[in-house]
Amino acid sequence: MAKKTPRPEPSITQDLSPLRADCPHCGQATWADYTNRRTVATLAGLTRLNIAVRRCHNRDCQAHLRPLRPEAEGRVALPRHEFGLDVVALAGTLRYREHKSVPEIHRDLLGRGLAVSQRSVTNLLDRYDELLAVALADDARLNRLLDEQGKVVLALDGLQPDVGHEVLWVLRDCLSGEILLARSLLSARQQDLAELLGEVRDALAVPVAAVVSDGQRSIRKAVAEALPGVPHQLCHFHYLREAARPIYEADRNAKKRLKKQVRGVRKIERACEVRGDAEAEVILGYCCAVRSALTDDGRPPLDACGLKLHERLTAVSASLGRAAEKGGCPPNSRS
């Protein structure tokens, strides 16, 4: 489908030229034959790249008239792509680290000023997966790094951004921080996970000293099958979460009691939606802040949801108090 709106003019301009002026094959001087113009959407803004292209005119050279593009172009974007590598990296981070869905990533990118469609977000995630696969395929660099440390402490975890979709299983070395294998699976069966562990075990030139994971039963059985005799322990986060479960339950109950005190926010919203004055818009903004606080569950055990809700509601109440002191309407006790 063709675009219905014209693309805005770039706000950033970069002039790129090849680092060397001689031909890498024959050594003779190359000519600056022409300049390409390319527009790339980056997190810094829409960028216009003026790319100086050089060519070798030596007829006996194997690179005769072959375009030599600037090396720095590859640091900005992939060939024939309209979005920069920083946008690709951000989309992958939102997907796999923050477990956001494609519509949520789309809204996040729109909020950053990027003109992007949901289909383009899916393409960005595909490019991220391809780049990750290429990085993991650099066996020479990885083997040199692992040979220096002499062993691997393997971490295994599954990431599922959307319920019902494939799970991205990531196997990472805790000592170096390097990802050893990343693959999407439709299930988390013991046999499938044991095959992943066996694939990593056979590819490594150093022994697996230990395994760290959560307490999922299929993972425990897969580790025992693929890596018999290797120590296997619960990761620190899951261990801390289990230890803090009583505190978590108390915090969750505290959040329930706090939510009861702001149940009247919907009535206030209905009353203000029919009004069009500035005061109603301010009140709706406060209601939106309260709703945002109610839906933010935090990340227990390190980020307690009850304490976080208390802090945000206290900030809203303090802001209402300051507004009342400046001559506004007195704050509603239920909001």
Side-chain angles (χ1 to χ4, degrees), residues 318-331:
S319 178
L320 286 169
R322 291 192 297 269
E325 291 177 358
K326 293 180 180 179
C329 295

Side-chain angles (χ1 to χ4, degrees), residues 25 28 31 38 70-71 82 91 95 98 134 139 142 173 179 199-200 203-204 213 229 250-252 272 283 307 312 323:
H25 298 278
Q28 293 191 14
W31 295 10
R38 181 181 178 186
E71 295 82 356
E82 61 176 337
R95 179 72 164 182
E98 301 187 16
V134 171
D139 295 334
L142 184 61
D173 174 37
I179 297 178
E199 183 177 345
V200 171
L204 293 175
S213 72
D251 180 79
R252 188 166 61 89
C272 293
I283 296 174
L307 291 176
R312 297 183 67 172

Side-chain angles (χ1 to χ4, degrees), residues 267-284:
K267 295 181 180 179
I268 300 175
E269 287 178 328
R270 290 195 184 102
C272 293
E273 285 173 354
V274 297
R275 299 165 51 185
D277 56 313
E279 184 181 17
E281 294 182 3
V282 173
I283 296 174
L284 287 175

Side-chain angles (χ1 to χ4, degrees), residues 261-275 279-280 282-288 290-291 320 331-335:
Q261 300 181 16
V262 291
R263 284 180 176 175
V265 67
R266 184 54 187 153
K267 295 181 180 179
I268 300 175
E269 287 178 328
R270 290 195 184 102
C272 293
E273 285 173 354
V274 297
R275 299 165 51 185
E279 184 181 17
V282 173
I283 296 174
L284 287 175
Y286 278 108
C287 292
C288 182
V290 172
R291 285 194 172 276
L320 286 169
N332 190 308
S333 60
R334 301 188 64 186
S335 62

Side-chain angles (χ1 to χ4, degrees), residues 210-254:
V211 179
V212 179
S213 72
D214 58 25
Q216 186 173 333
R217 185 181 299 273
S218 60
I219 295 180
R220 297 202 306 264
K221 291 185 176 181
V223 172
E225 176 184 343
L227 301 169
V230 176
H232 182 197
Q233 76 170 39
L234 202 64
C235 77
H236 294 167
F237 175 81
H238 291 88
Y239 182 85
L240 178 60
R241 187 177 65 180
E242 294 297 326
R245 187 172 296 275
I247 301 177
Y248 166 72
E249 294 296 334
D251 180 79
R252 188 166 61 89
N253 291 330

Side-chain angles (χ1 to χ4, degrees), residues 135-136 141-142 145-146 149 153-154 170-181:
L136 298 179
R141 182 192 64 84
L142 184 61
L145 183 63
L146 298 181
Q149 63 188 39
V153 176
L154 197 62
V170 179
L171 288 83
R172 183 177 62 90
D173 174 37
C174 295
L175 299 180
S176 63
E178 293 290 332
I179 297 178
L180 306 178
L181 180 65

Side-chain angles (χ1 to χ4, degrees), residues 106-225:
H106 180 236
R107 288 195 296 269
D108 189 287
L109 295 180
L110 290 178
R112 296 172 182 265
L114 291 170
V116 58
S117 64
Q118 286 198 21
R119 185 169 183 177
S120 296
V121 172
T122 303
N123 294 334
L124 289 174
L125 294 175
D126 291 339
R127 301 294 83 75
Y128 179 86
D129 293 338
E130 293 170 357
L131 292 173
L132 178 61
V134 171
L136 298 179
D138 190 359
D139 295 334
R141 182 192 64 84
L142 184 61
N143 289 334
R144 288 195 304 269
L145 183 63
L146 298 181
D147 287 340
E148 294 177 359
Q149 63 188 39
K151 60 182 178 180
V152 165
V153 176
L154 197 62
L156 172 65
D157 197 8
L159 306 174
Q160 187 178 24
D162 297 324
V163 177
H165 289 67
E166 292 183 344
V167 179
L168 177 66
W169 287 94
V170 179
L171 288 83
R172 183 177 62 90
D173 174 37
C174 295
L175 299 180
S176 63
E178 293 290 332
I179 297 178
L180 306 178
L181 180 65
R183 185 167 301 165
S184 296
L185 298 177
L186 289 173
S187 66
R189 298 185 306 163
Q190 171 187 346
Q191 181 180 358
D192 296 335
L193 298 180
E195 291 177 358
L196 289 182
L197 291 168
E199 183 177 345
V200 171
R201 177 201 60 206
D202 297 338
L204 293 175
V206 295
V208 177
V211 179
V212 179
S213 72
D214 58 25
Q216 186 173 333
R217 185 181 299 273
S218 60
I219 295 180
R220 297 202 306 264
K221 291 185 176 181
V223 172
E225 176 184 343

